């Protein structure tokens, strides 16, 4: 396989990962590193999780990634001012030397993931270097773009996966060699996951990783909206090339560290469970489950193995919804895309249920909230009198198969993990 120029397999462009001068917390200026980190912005359960993170430390990264104010412009201005103040006060400091960063997550359940954080050259979809697998919501992209532009920073890395050769060479060798050295930082987050970070500043190691990655392309595992934001900012800048031509990413070799795939659930804020179930009469089989959440999710997994299935909650019970009416699917699901896409639970949910049966626009944040945690989704539905729609996760092979065909899944179809913690290393754009 050629590594000449910027092209990988069969002359196709490949990944170009560059070192950068990382922006990191000064350990002596914060209570502890765990107290200033956060899950990615779209995983923070609001408002409970947001308030909890803000209370952990006055310098928690959530004040940058989810600034709070009534007016969007004021929110972004507040984040920009906060970043400026933390830089001036020495709470955040810029590294002296450009580096690639090796990042490790280790959990109590046997989880181990390692990857490389760097500044990735942005590529157009037609190049096939970075493969999205989900649609995005324009209002979220616009919101993230305004925040990044106000702060002139990549505040948290995207999670991308690529398939290496399975051996310890190239980028994999750089990752494993760094993991044997003393880390730059080490902390344990509230969920019990241990995080370690190493700086790779040796030009020879940086070159070895860069040359290897040029042979590969990557799947966006987590961060579709931020990737779309990167492209939007790059395309809007003049002249080009310019400071927005690269974006902060974590690249994980999934042949060595397979990612975990979970579902993202829906909270339908204005639809009571009784109304949701009533509308399904004659269109789906509905069964009330006398079970707690873990057992209910097992029933969902069994049903999802046979066809489309969902779990509805919010009224103190769980309702298993499966066996959709074939005529409903024929009428609502487009016939053009591959059968793999047409049979996805997320496709049926959005096209048949949200669009047709319940008449809920999927781009309405007032009516739909996307939540990664099943228990939190149910709890919030019960609190608000809405409906929680719990989904079973899609297999990674299905996601990759569709992405390689250029077919995108419905938005918020999957949650790949483990996700990188926000706050361990940031990137100033144009630094």
């Amino acid at each position: 396989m050629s590594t000449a120029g910027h092209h990988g397999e069969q002359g196709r462009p490949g990944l170009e990962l560059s070192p950068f001068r990382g922006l990191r917390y000064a350990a002596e200026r914060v209570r502890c590193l765990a107290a200033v980190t956060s899950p990615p912005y779209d995983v923070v359960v609001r408002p409970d999780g947001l308030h909890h993170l803000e209370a952990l430390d006055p310098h928690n990264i959530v004040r940058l990634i989810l600034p709070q104010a009534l007016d969007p412009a004021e929110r972004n201005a507040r984040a920009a001012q906060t970043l400026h103040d933390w830089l001036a006060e020495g709470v955040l400091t810029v590294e002296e030397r450009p580096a690639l960063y090796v990042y490790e997550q280790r959990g109590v359940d046997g989880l181990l993931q390692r990857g490389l954080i760097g500044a990735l050259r942005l590529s157009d979809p037609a190049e096939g270097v970075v493969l999205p697998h989900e649609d995005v919501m324009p209002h979220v992209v616009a919101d993230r773009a305004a925040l990044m532009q106000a702060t002139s920073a990549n505040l948290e890395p995207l999670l991308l996966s690529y398939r290496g050769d399975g051996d310890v060479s190239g980028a994999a060798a750089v990752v494993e060699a760094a993991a044997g050295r003393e880390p730059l930082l080490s902390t344990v987050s509230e969920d019990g996951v241990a995080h370690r970070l190493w700086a790779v500043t040796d030009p020879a190691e940086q070159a070895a990783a860069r040359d290897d990655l040029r042979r590969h392309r990557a799947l966006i595992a987590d961060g579709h909206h931020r990737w779309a934001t990167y492209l939007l900012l790059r395309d809007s800048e003049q002249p080009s090339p310019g400071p927005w031509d690269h974006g902060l990413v974590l690249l994980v070799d999934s042949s060595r560290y397979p990612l975990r795939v979970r579902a993202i659930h829906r909270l339908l804020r204005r639809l009571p469970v009784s109304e949701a179930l009533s509308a399904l009469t004659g269109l789906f089989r509905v069964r009330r489950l006398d079970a707690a959440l873990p057992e209910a999710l097992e029933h969902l997994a069994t049903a999802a193995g046979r066809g489309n299935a969902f779990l509805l909650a919010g009224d103190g019970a769980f309702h298993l919804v499966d066996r959709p009416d074939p005529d409903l699917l024929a009428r609502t699901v487009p016939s053009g895309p591959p059968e793999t896409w047409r049979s996805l639970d997320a496709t049926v949910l959005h096209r048949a249920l949200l669009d047709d049966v319940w008449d809920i626009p999927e781009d309405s944040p007032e009516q739909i909230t996307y939540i990664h945690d099943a228990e939190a989704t149910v709890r919030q539905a019960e609190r608000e009198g809405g409906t929680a729609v719990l989904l079973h996760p899609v297999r990674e092979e299905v996601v990759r198969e569709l992405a390689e065909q250029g077919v995108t899944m419905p938005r918020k179809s999957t949650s790949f993990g483990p996700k990188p913690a926000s706050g361990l290393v940031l990137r100033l754009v144009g630094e």
Side-chain angles (χ1 to χ4, degrees):
M1 296 181 186
S2 169
T3 58
H6 302 316
H7 292 74
E9 298 176 30
Q10 302 171 347
R12 186 173 55 207
L15 299 164
E16 291 182 46
L17 194 69
S18 298
F20 68 103
R21 294 175 64 201
L23 180 64
R24 296 196 304 110
Y25 280 98
E28 67 277 5
R29 297 300 308 273
V30 297
R31 185 163 67 83
C32 69
L33 285 172
V36 294
T37 62
S38 161
Y41 81 98
D42 59 337
V43 181
V44 176
V45 178
R46 286 160 261 182
D48 304 9
L50 178 67
H51 295 156
H52 172 71
L53 290 163
E54 287 182 327
L56 284 178
D57 189 288
H59 302 109
N60 189 285
I61 191 69
V62 79
R63 297 182 186 275
L64 297 181
I65 63 175
L66 287 173
Q68 297 301 293
L70 293 177
D71 177 67
E74 185 184 342
R75 282 201 298 269
N76 297 329
R78 181 169 294 183
Q81 186 61 51
T82 299
L83 179 57
H84 177 271
D85 292 346
W86 291 357
L87 283 164
E89 296 163 7
V91 174
L92 288 171
T93 60
V94 180
E95 304 275 31
E96 291 184 7
R97 300 170 64 188
L100 296 175
Y101 295 87
V102 170
Y103 175 47
E104 176 191 273
Q105 292 157 283
R106 190 184 291 269
V108 291
D109 58 352
L111 162 76
L112 175 62
Q113 178 170 285
R114 289 174 180 151
L116 271 175
I117 295 177
L120 185 70
R121 182 188 72 85
L122 304 187
S123 55
D124 294 318
E127 293 182 61
V129 176
V130 175
L131 305 172
H133 67 266
E134 287 184 0
D135 293 331
V136 297
M137 292 174 271
H139 74 275
V140 177
V141 175
D143 176 72
R144 288 293 104 184
L147 176 63
M148 283 191 207
Q149 208 154 28
T151 56
S152 292
N154 296 151
L155 300 171
E156 42 187 352
L158 284 62
L159 174 61
L160 306 185
S161 75
Y162 72 98
R163 291 212 178 277
D165 300 327
D167 57 3
V168 186
S169 62
V174 172
V175 168
E176 301 307 325
R181 302 193 285 257
E182 190 68 24
L184 197 62
L185 66 83
S186 179
T187 189
V188 179
S189 48
E190 287 188 313
D191 57 5
V193 175
H195 306 262
R196 296 199 294 172
L197 193 75
W198 295 264
V200 177
T201 56
D202 180 352
E205 285 191 308
Q206 292 177 354
R210 182 177 61 245
D211 291 345
D212 178 28
L213 291 171
R214 280 176 173 163
R215 302 184 297 114
H216 299 288
R217 56 181 178 166
L219 176 74
I220 300 178
D222 187 67
H224 283 81
H225 288 88
R226 282 166 287 167
W227 179 256
T229 299
Y230 288 173
L231 294 176
L232 177 67
L233 292 173
R234 181 202 64 177
D235 293 343
S236 64
E237 72 176 351
Q238 294 296 331
S240 185
W244 294 101
D245 280 5
H246 290 75
L248 187 64
V249 305
L250 166 64
L251 274 170
V252 173
D253 179 354
S254 60
S255 70
R256 295 183 59 76
Y257 300 105
L259 298 180
R260 299 180 177 186
V261 189
R262 293 187 169 90
I264 301 177
H265 311 292
R266 275 69 170 156
L267 168 62
L268 310 181
R269 312 182 76 100
R270 297 178 181 173
L271 181 68
V273 176
S274 58
E275 291 183 20
L277 293 173
S278 176
L280 298 180
T281 303
L283 299 175
F284 283 80
R285 181 175 70 167
V286 179
R287 289 175 289 164
R288 182 186 174 103
L289 301 178
D290 183 20
L293 178 59
E295 187 183 345
L297 289 172
E298 289 179 12
H299 283 289
L300 173 63
T302 301
R306 304 189 185 112
N308 299 119
F310 312 94
L311 201 60
L312 270 55
D315 61 350
F318 293 102
H319 308 271
L320 184 62
V321 174
D322 65 355
R323 297 187 184 176
D325 174 44
D327 291 339
L328 172 68
L329 299 185
R331 177 167 53 83
T332 57
V333 177
S335 58
E339 174 59 26
T340 305
W341 180 90
R342 298 178 71 246
S343 60
L344 290 169
D345 287 336
T347 299
V348 172
L349 171 61
H350 282 258
R351 297 305 180 103
L353 285 170
L354 293 176
D355 289 356
D356 191 85
V357 177
W358 292 329
D359 191 24
I360 298 175
E362 61 179 337
D363 58 354
S364 170
E366 300 81 22
Q367 297 192 60
I368 302 182
T369 300
Y370 299 86
I371 303 177
H372 292 70
D373 182 74
E375 186 178 351
T377 313
V378 174
R379 192 167 57 242
Q380 218 154 310
E382 291 177 344
R383 183 189 304 161
E384 298 186 17
T387 296
V389 182
L390 308 184
L391 287 84
H392 186 67
V394 183
R395 299 192 319 279
E396 183 182 357
E397 313 89 80
V398 172
V399 177
R400 193 173 291 275
E401 173 195 329
L402 288 171
E404 289 176 349
Q405 294 177 57
V407 178
T408 53
M409 299 167 65
R411 58 194 61 166
K412 298 292 184 183
S413 293
T414 60
S415 175
F416 279 87
K419 304 177 191 302
S422 299
L424 295 179
V425 61
L426 295 66
R427 172 179 172 260
L428 291 177
V429 174
E431 183 274 321

